[in-house]
Amino acid sequence: MHSLTKTALSFNGIGRRCVALNRFSETRIICRGLTCTAEHENELYDVIISGGGMVGTAMACSLGLDPNLEGKKILLLEAGNKKVMDKVPDAYSTRVSSISPGSATLLSGVGAWDHIMNMRCKPYQKMQMHITRIEEQRVEVWDACSDALITFDKENLQDEMAYIVENNIIVAALTKQLENLSDQVRVQYKSKVVKYTWPKSHQVADAIPWVQVTLANGQTLQTKLLIGADGPNSMVRREAGIPTVKWNYDQSAVVAVLHLSEPTENNVAWQRFLPTGPIAMLPLSDTESSLVWSTSHRHAEELLQLDEESFVDSINTAFWSNENHSELVETAGSLFRTALSVLMPSAGSARQLPPSVAGIGPKSRIMFPLGMGHASEYIRHRVALIGDAAHRVHPLAGQGANLGFGDVACLTQLLSQAAFNGKDLGAMQHLLEYETERQRHNLPMMAAIDLMKRLYSTNAAPMVVLRTFGLQATNTLPAMKAQIMAFASK
Amino acid sequence: MYSKKFERFILGVCTRCLTSAVNGTTTSARTAVSWTSVRKHHKQFLERRSQNGFAVVRIRHASKTTVDPNEVKRFRLLATKWWNEQGDFAALHSMNDLRVPFIRDNLLNAHGGRQPGKPLAGLRILDVGCGGGLLTEPLGRLGADVLGIDPVADSIGTAEVHAWHDPDLRGNVRYRAITLEELSEKGGKGAGQFDAVVASEVVEHLADLETFTLCCNQVLKPGGSLFITTINKTQLSYALAIVAAEEVLRIVPSGTHDWDKFVSPVELERLLESNGFHVESIRGMLYNPLSRAWSWTESTSINYALHAVKLEEEPNPDEDDPEDPTVIVAQAKARRWYN
């Protein structure tokens, strides 16, 4: 494997004999002399983070600020350019994320939250989801709309449920914070990695025990721990041979920035489940919202082709149209609602109506395919995966970024503890703890999101009745809603 | 992970049954001999104890050296296996979770706030019986200047090669294949140099504890700390640390420990207190073979950790302030020693 093996082995034999004769100083000098030069050419870092997106940069900030990791050499590798934002652009960008309070805590812990608040962010207190069914062949207009609805709100809790922040702003804020940590954390932009070399699982006398990272410019770096934050098509994960469970939803998401018809106190996130997929409107400001419409590939392409007016019409139709549904479902739904209101008269809040859309931001329509992915292992010896590299979800619950930030918080805490105990940062023990803790949190969340997606993709009457009942029942149980919100806020 | 441990346990039991069945008398006689010899020792010990009342029976012969040649031979054969975290020394690797915080926290208490990232910076530590450097390396990573010594040269070789790869450790972790007596003798150079001496899982392998204690006293600075982890000498430790750990579960290689050499915390405390130390704390440790993790426990019946502090130098009696409590204690101790 290593070309040095024979020479190194014979050297080792000499070395051992020297040791036996109590001539240690000589051995050490020989050791240093022979391979010293080779070692110094490859810089050895304590941690290398591969991938400078939201989660990778957050990890770099978090490690750089930890007192127990002071003095450790940390490097962030990003293939793209540095994202600086001197002035916040007037136009909103299309890619946004819903940031839970737990993630907001992490971001404020690394000092980036202040930058984000100063730049631009929108808290929302309420999320309302409408579930309905539309049949495209028949057009029948019914007076009563009896779509089931569920509302999550934090009115009684006085603080925000979550925040909608543009992804660019998050990355820019974190980058700004990294500049303050330049003596702790080095960042290399435009550094594409071409190869990873993995170490043996336990020490062989002459082999290099570190992970080696070869960049496109020929530089080779070594590290005691490699953190893979390089997105859903992670090269770290692929090269490490970690099997991934993944499938593509036959859906693409169309995202756009919407101008609302009239300014409102825009603090509600709307999501309506159509049979083709959920359409969501997330508040950005009093006059603007972000659209995330998950639908079939064909429909998504059609939407992109439409002119602005038709596109706006289709959005309004999707949110406002009267449902077409069978009498069975309607009767069952209204009966159930009556029963619930008798049993729990106070539960369930007043229903609000979503705002209507007047226009869209210029050139702001894009689409991207959706899929689900989960790495069966998050860790290997000296390797850890965080963020989308480890898990990729459907945007319908707004949890993708939050799961990544949760990984950052957990791994930082475990690495900090390991460093305080004098451990080798790449050792399996604390990495296994990270994997166990995060898989226990992420898997149920991902299963729930996938289940929701499948549940609401079907038109079959029994399923519709079931989910209608389920949603109405959950809406009247504040304790259960509180549990769901607590889980999603972590 | 659990299934592997269970599998090893079942395999161990089955192998013993099978080999004794297949090979007939040879193996069973051999195992029978080793069992009976241990039981014979134990019976003799009990008889001696009942004859002499509570007098301490010296199993170790008083010798000038702490090193037992049989122990050296045994550990030489295991020298290459130190750094396999799932191998023969797995229990020692996971013991770091207890002993590193124990040492670190007690030293931080004694020496005050240090810089973050390198909490033990500026402290000199001696690791006696360091073996492959399992405990020496974490202490080095915490910033201390550590010297690891071990009489087995092959272990020192393994330790040096392992530590050499890491530039963080090259500066402050050193190894020497000498014994503690040689170090404390060397023309007074070894004397009074170290802030702390660590002797983890060592005293149960030594030939002479008295000499060991005297040497530790010599190499420590006044007020310096001595950390010992070892195994208690009780019926329970016999059952668990010898029979279960070595013969049945194979947590440690067979023959690693000799129950006669175990020392109880009471005896160790007496020994230390009469040699210029003050014992600060003793804590029990417990190993869970299923989770392969150690934890602190109330009872010191099996494993325990001990922290002692070398007393400050006894001042000249003529110049003493008779009201000073430390002087009174020191004088009382001196009187007890000479009486």
Side-chain angles (χ1 to χ4, degrees), chain B residues 52-329:
Chain B
N52 301 341
F54 287 107
V56 172
V57 179
R58 285 280 168 91
I59 303 301
R60 296 175 172 84
H61 50 273
S63 65
K64 281 287 178 242
T65 169
T66 58
V67 175
D68 183 340
N70 292 329
E71 303 275 358
V72 172
K73 199 169 85 174
R74 201 177 296 138
F75 276 101
R76 190 181 299 137
L77 297 170
L78 296 167
T80 49
K81 303 191 183 172
W82 282 104
W83 284 99
N84 183 357
E85 287 180 31
Q86 318 299 328
D88 286 337
F89 293 109
L92 277 182
H93 277 276
S94 57
M95 203 197 276
N96 277 346
D97 293 338
L98 287 193
R99 41 188 190 171
V100 173
F102 183 63
I103 297 169
R104 176 199 73 210
D105 294 340
N106 281 310
L107 284 177
L108 284 176
N109 279 341
H111 294 267
R114 299 251 153 197
Q115 63 192 84
K118 299 263 180 209
L120 299 181
L123 296 177
R124 293 200 61 198
I125 303 182
L126 174 68
D127 187 2
V128 181
C130 62
L134 268 59
L135 181 54
T136 327
E137 284 197 11
L139 293 175
R141 273 192 209 104
L142 289 176
D145 200 358
V146 195
L147 172 65
I149 65 174
D150 199 284
V152 181
D154 288 342
S155 301
I156 293 288
T158 309
E160 285 199 318
V161 169
H162 193 267
W164 173 77
H165 281 289
D166 190 347
D168 281 343
L169 299 175
R170 277 184 213 153
N172 51 345
V173 173
R174 288 168 296 134
Y175 293 101
R176 292 177 68 183
I178 60 172
T179 62
L180 183 59
E181 303 86 68
E182 287 167 22
L183 183 69
S184 59
E185 265 170 32
K186 282 217 166 139
K189 261 201 310 185
Q193 280 188 334
F194 295 99
D195 294 291
V197 170
V198 176
S200 178
E201 306 301 303
V202 158
V203 299
E204 67 264 24
H205 297 285
L206 292 180
D208 183 1
L209 273 184
E210 190 86 38
T211 316
F212 167 78
T213 319
L214 284 170
C215 294
C216 284
N217 197 318
Q218 236 174 331
V219 299
L220 269 176
K221 291 180 187 167
S225 294
L226 172 63
F227 297 97
I228 295 178
T229 75
T230 185
I231 310 182
N232 197 347
K233 193 172 186 181
T234 59
Q235 303 276 7
L236 190 60
S237 74
Y238 179 78
L240 292 180
I242 307 270
V243 176
E246 289 185 19
E247 308 292 336
V248 180
L249 293 177
R250 313 275 178 160
I251 298 170
V252 287
S254 183
T256 303
H257 292 125
D258 180 2
W259 186 80
D260 293 324
K261 284 187 174 169
F262 288 173
V263 60
S264 71
V266 170
E267 193 192 323
L268 190 56
E269 184 172 357
R270 183 201 60 79
L271 185 62
L272 290 172
E273 296 262 339
S274 53
N275 278 307
F277 284 96
H278 169 64
V279 174
E280 299 267 317
S281 66
I282 303 181
R283 298 178 74 178
M285 309 195 297
L286 183 65
Y287 184 63
N288 180 344
L290 291 177
S291 65
R292 290 189 181 184
W294 288 86
S295 54
W296 293 114
T297 183
E298 286 293 324
S299 151
T300 57
S301 312
I302 319 166
N303 294 78
Y304 63 95
L306 181 148
H307 172 220
V309 171
K310 173 176 170 177
L311 293 169
E312 304 283 338
E313 296 286 295
E314 297 197 359
N316 195 330
D318 295 331
E319 298 160 23
D320 280 345
D321 174 10
E323 306 290 321
D324 186 354
T326 49
V327 170
I328 294 172
V329 166

Side-chain angles (χ1 to χ4, degrees), chain A residues 5-31 34 205, chain B residues 153-154 157 160-161:
Chain A
T5 311
K6 274 213 186 104
T7 34
L9 262 181
S10 56
F11 154 69
N12 238 0
I14 301 170
R16 291 246 165 81
R17 255 172 268 138
C18 288
V19 162
L21 290 172
N22 282 341
R23 296 215 314 252
F24 300 109
S25 49
E26 279 95 319
T27 316
R28 233 170 283 131
I29 292 169
I30 296 170
C31 258
L34 251 188
Chain B
D154 288 342
E160 285 199 318
V161 169

